[in-house]
Amino acid sequence: AFLGAAAGCEQPLMELLLSHGKIPVLIGELITVELWKHKVFPVLCRLEDFKPVSTFPIYVVLHHEASIINLLETVFFHKEVCEAAEDAILDLIDYCHRKLTLLAARGASARPGTRSQPGTLASPSSMQELQEQAETMEFEISLKALSVLRFITDQVASLPLSALTRLLSTHNVPCLLVELLERCPWSCREAGALKKFENGAWHAVPPEDQLKMTKLDGQVWLALYNLLLSPECRCKYHFDGFNKSQLLKLRAFLTDVLLDQLPNLVEMQRFLSHLAVTEPAPPKKDLVLEQVPAIREHLLKKNAGKWEAIAKHQVKSVFSPTAEELRLQARRWAQTYSLDMMEALVPDKPRCRVCGVEAAK
């Protein structure tokens, strides 16, 4: 899916997902793994008698959430995919909101370290190592959720009314996006040097490029543009005193350098100048029968009070595989992520680690 999108050619996988009605299934799976991480994984880490021979099967489950959000990011660019999500779009909006809240809370202070490889042999710190990997993955998953949310805002004209209500009223996403721009968790200073997170890694930014907008900055600005300037949203968003004061903070960011890179924002600058001197009318309060997200609530009710029992059952049935089962699982991964595939996915050409010149071999 990723290679097809990068090459700009047809995406047969997207067509398959649409024709088989699998977009709601993927969203359901995403919510399930997220809930497992918050409810079952901490119990596994606390079990004193759980000393796995290999942490690989648990790593596969943790990695599953990253795989699904990556796939959704790749296909949600298309309007028909957004529409095919149907009622599950509410759960996806809630999911993205949870991830962005986590991202805003993290800020620039807690830069995650580089991800280490999952341990294959048991050691006293193997579960601790797994927790660190989960935390690193959480940061990258949150950034993918930002992209998915932006693609959802691209389709505000065709979203159900309940989805707009969740974006603008329930979660107040515009103010959350302002908070993200202020905190900018994908950039940090280390030993006086500015570093930014892009393409899955932290990169030092040379002085001449420090005002250059990253893709992540662009996603936030485009989402704000969609939520504040589209007619569907403007008539439903409540520009009260708090919301107005938060949104007017954006004026400080709208420099000439930024406007040169994203000219669409000139329209937003005009809108904010107008907002500063006027008092927009409050949204009409119509009687609306609002849908609520069902997937997460159903899972929480169904498994309430059972999380510890689920963890203990999974220790025996899933996370204590035989050597033969481990070999089979490793072989599957080796076939899926072959060397040729991995090479095609690398965004940059390989370079010599010593001199930095493009690698000859």
Side-chain angles (χ1 to χ4, degrees):
F2 177 80
L3 292 173
C9 52
E10 286 184 21
Q11 294 185 40
L13 183 63
M14 185 192 78
E15 299 298 334
L16 273 171
L17 291 172
L18 288 174
S19 60
H20 290 285
K22 292 295 181 186
I23 300 298
V25 178
L26 279 173
I27 295 170
E29 188 82 351
L30 184 70
I31 306 296
T32 307
V33 184
E34 182 206 21
L35 209 52
W36 181 90
K37 273 173 64 176
H38 287 291
K39 298 289 187 180
V40 180
F41 181 53
V43 179
L44 288 178
C45 294
R46 288 198 303 269
L47 292 175
E48 290 179 8
D49 56 343
F50 180 43
K51 300 281 190 288
V53 176
S54 170
T55 56
F56 185 68
I58 306 176
Y59 179 81
V60 171
V61 182
L62 293 171
H63 189 273
H64 193 44
E65 186 185 2
S67 300
I68 300 171
I69 195 71
N70 264 305
L71 179 56
L72 290 176
E73 183 197 26
T74 305
V75 298
F76 251 79
F77 177 76
H78 302 274
K79 181 183 177 181
E80 53 269 37
V81 174
C82 197
E83 290 172 349
E86 299 173 343
D87 294 346
I89 196 78
L90 299 176
D91 270 286
L92 186 57
I93 288 170
D94 278 19
Y95 172 87
C96 292
H97 174 259
R98 287 193 294 275
K99 296 297 178 186
L100 296 196
T101 306
L102 196 73
L103 204 54
R106 164 181 239 123
S109 57
R111 191 199 124 185
T114 50
R115 187 192 304 173
S116 52
Q117 293 303 310
T120 49
L121 296 172
S123 70
S125 63
S126 60
M127 291 304 288
Q128 190 181 345
E129 184 190 337
L130 211 53
Q131 283 175 291
E132 288 169 11
Q133 287 162 0
E135 194 184 326
T136 305
M137 263 192 274
E138 193 67 44
F139 176 69
E140 295 182 32
I141 288 166
S142 300
L143 297 179
K144 297 290 179 188
L146 171 60
S147 297
V148 172
L149 184 79
R150 182 239 133 166
F151 292 140
I152 292 172
T153 65
D154 281 347
Q155 313 303 337
V156 284
S158 55
L159 285 178
L161 186 60
S162 297
L164 278 182
T165 305
R166 295 200 84 71
L167 283 168
L168 300 171
S169 305
T170 313
H171 298 315
N172 200 349
V173 170
C175 283
L176 177 57
L177 293 172
V178 173
E179 186 81 7
L180 275 176
L181 279 177
E182 282 192 302
R183 293 176 181 264
C184 201
W186 46 86
S187 94
C188 70
R189 288 203 171 269
E190 201 172 78
L194 179 68
K195 290 194 168 188
K196 292 192 178 182
F197 191 87
E198 222 167 348
N199 295 324
W202 289 92
H203 301 281
V205 183
E208 64 272 16
D209 289 340
Q210 289 191 359
L211 294 176
K212 198 174 174 184
M213 184 193 290
T214 64
K215 287 178 187 175
L216 293 162
D217 292 312
Q219 299 286 31
V220 178
W221 281 111
L222 289 170
L224 275 167
Y225 180 89
N226 292 333
L227 291 173
L228 295 177
L229 273 76
S230 66
E232 294 82 7
C233 294
R234 274 169 76 167
C235 65
K236 290 183 176 63
Y237 190 59
H238 191 195
F239 292 95
D240 58 14
F242 173 76
N243 289 348
K244 187 173 166 180
S245 66
Q246 288 298 103
L247 294 173
L248 289 177
K249 290 179 181 179
L250 293 172
R251 296 169 80 189
F253 294 97
L254 290 167
T255 60
D256 292 343
V257 179
L258 184 72
L259 295 175
D260 284 344
Q261 294 174 75
L262 203 57
N264 285 12
L265 295 181
V266 172
E267 203 178 328
M268 183 183 281
Q269 191 180 42
R270 206 174 296 129
F271 164 74
L272 291 171
S273 300
H274 181 68
L275 181 66
V277 295
T278 58
E279 208 61 53
K284 288 180 184 177
K285 290 195 173 181
D286 299 326
L287 180 65
V288 176
L289 290 173
E290 190 186 337
Q291 286 176 285
V292 291
I295 300 170
R296 194 169 189 271
E297 283 305 311
H298 170 71
L299 289 169
L300 282 169
K301 281 180 185 173
K302 186 181 174 184
N303 300 297
K306 300 177 187 172
W307 304 112
E308 198 158 331
I310 291 169
K312 287 176 179 175
H313 171 72
Q314 289 183 348
V315 163
K316 294 174 186 172
S317 61
V318 184
F319 299 126
S320 300
T322 63
E324 184 53 43
E325 286 169 337
L326 270 177
R327 271 197 293 272
L328 180 65
Q329 203 168 33
R331 202 176 298 131
R332 279 182 185 159
W333 263 48
Q335 286 167 354
T336 306
Y337 297 98
S338 64
L339 260 176
D340 292 342
M341 170 68 82
M342 294 306 287
E343 197 174 340
L345 291 173
V346 173
D348 305 313
K349 290 184 178 177
R351 296 184 174 277
C352 172
R353 298 293 290 180
V354 181
C355 65
V357 175
E358 199 173 300
K361 298 182 182 179

